[in-house]
């Protein structure tokens, strides 16, 4: 770098931000949510605590962004559900991917930690709904609307309820660890939902 060039602060800041998010995910995987602290994240990321507090108000907010970044990396920039014209096949593909994600410790540990925080932090719950759950539900609803217009779901089906019937049992089983999350389980949820809401 020549003496006339100035350091790119935005690049340095983004490097620090990514290091903090990666450190958060690594610590949750290694020591568990309860033992993760802002101090530990700062030490792992090689930044000062004040750097973290400049961007995030709480441990829960850092965990949320670390999970959000992981989701964005996996999904890429565009969010859309497959629309091959075969609703059953499309939903089974998506639900199987969801089951696989929940079974992957890299995804599972941060989101379980995030759920713990959401229970006790209304601001974080609102942020989660606005930045992640809400947009994802809209993507899912768009696919269901397309199926409804094609006559694959009942014309009077409540699409919000369709989503709850499809995803609610999966989330319940994952949250309470009451049974295995398998591709077969995902398929059975799709079959059950379609039986309930087809014309």
């Amino acid at each position: 770098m020549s003496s006339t060039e100035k350091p790119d602060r935005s690049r340095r800041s983004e490097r620090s931000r990514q290091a903090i998010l990666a450190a958060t995910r690594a610590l949750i995987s290694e020591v568990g949510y309860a033992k993760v602290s802002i101090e530990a994240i700062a030490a792992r990321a090689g930044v000062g605590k004040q750097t973290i507090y400049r961007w995030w108000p709480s441990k829960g907010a850092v965990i949320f962004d670390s999970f959000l970044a992981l989701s964005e990396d996996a999904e890429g920039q565009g969010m859309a559900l497959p629309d091959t014209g075969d609703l059953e096949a499309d939903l089974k593909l998506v639900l199987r991917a969801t089951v696989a994600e929940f079974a992957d410790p890299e995804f599972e540990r941060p989101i379980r930690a995030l759920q713990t925080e959401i229970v006790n932090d209304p601001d974080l719950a609102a942020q989660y709904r606005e930045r992640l759950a809400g947009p994802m539900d809209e993507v899912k609803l768009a696919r269901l609307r397309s199926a409804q217009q094609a006559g694959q779901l009942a014309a009077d089906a409540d699409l919000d309820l369709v989503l709850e019937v499809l995803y609610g049992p999966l989330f319940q089983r994952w949250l309470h660890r009451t049974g295995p999350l398998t591709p077969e389980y995902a398929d059975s949820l799709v079959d059950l939902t379609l039986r309930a809401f087809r014309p």
Side-chain angles (χ1 to χ4, degrees), residues 66-184:
S66 75
F67 178 74
L68 195 62
L70 195 62
S71 297
E72 286 166 354
D73 289 346
E75 291 163 9
Q77 295 304 307
M79 283 198 303
L81 261 58
D83 190 348
T84 64
D86 182 340
L87 180 63
E88 180 181 338
D90 292 346
L91 290 180
K92 284 181 177 178
L93 181 70
V94 170
L95 228 62
R96 280 175 172 238
T98 303
V99 160
E101 214 172 67
F102 276 20
D104 178 353
E106 280 292 304
F107 278 85
E108 199 270 350
R109 287 190 187 107
I111 199 166
R112 194 171 284 281
L114 178 62
Q115 294 302 318
T116 302
E117 285 292 297
I118 283 171
V119 168
N120 299 308
D121 186 340
D123 290 338
L124 186 61
Q127 197 179 134
Y128 174 76
R129 180 80 205 151
E130 179 186 332
R131 293 177 59 198
L132 185 63
M136 279 308 301
D137 282 353
E138 275 310 307
V139 168
K140 294 167 189 170
L141 286 168
R143 178 64 186 93
L144 294 179
R145 276 192 288 273
S146 166
Q148 196 172 43
Q149 288 159 5
Q152 296 173 339
L153 290 171
D156 62 350
D158 178 336
L159 298 185
D160 289 315
L161 184 58
V162 174
L163 267 192
E164 286 183 19
V165 171
L166 190 59
Y167 283 90
L170 191 161
F171 186 73
Q172 173 89 1
R173 181 176 280 206
W174 169 77
L175 188 64
H176 296 291
R177 305 180 200 266
T178 54
L181 295 176
T182 62
E184 294 74 22

Side-chain angles (χ1 to χ4, degrees), residues 15-30 41 44-45 62 65-66 69 106:
R15 262 203 314 270
S16 295
R17 197 178 80 83
Q18 291 302 327
I20 291 163
L21 297 177
T24 302
R25 289 191 297 269
L27 285 166
I28 288 169
S29 293
E30 289 168 22
I41 294 169
R44 172 67 66 94
V62 184
D65 271 3
S66 75
E106 280 292 304

Side-chain angles (χ1 to χ4, degrees), residues 37-57:
S37 65
I38 294 292
E39 289 80 3
I41 294 169
R44 172 67 66 94
V47 301
K49 279 194 306 181
Q50 288 313 111
T51 301
I52 296 177
Y53 283 120
R54 188 180 316 136
W55 287 319
W56 296 280

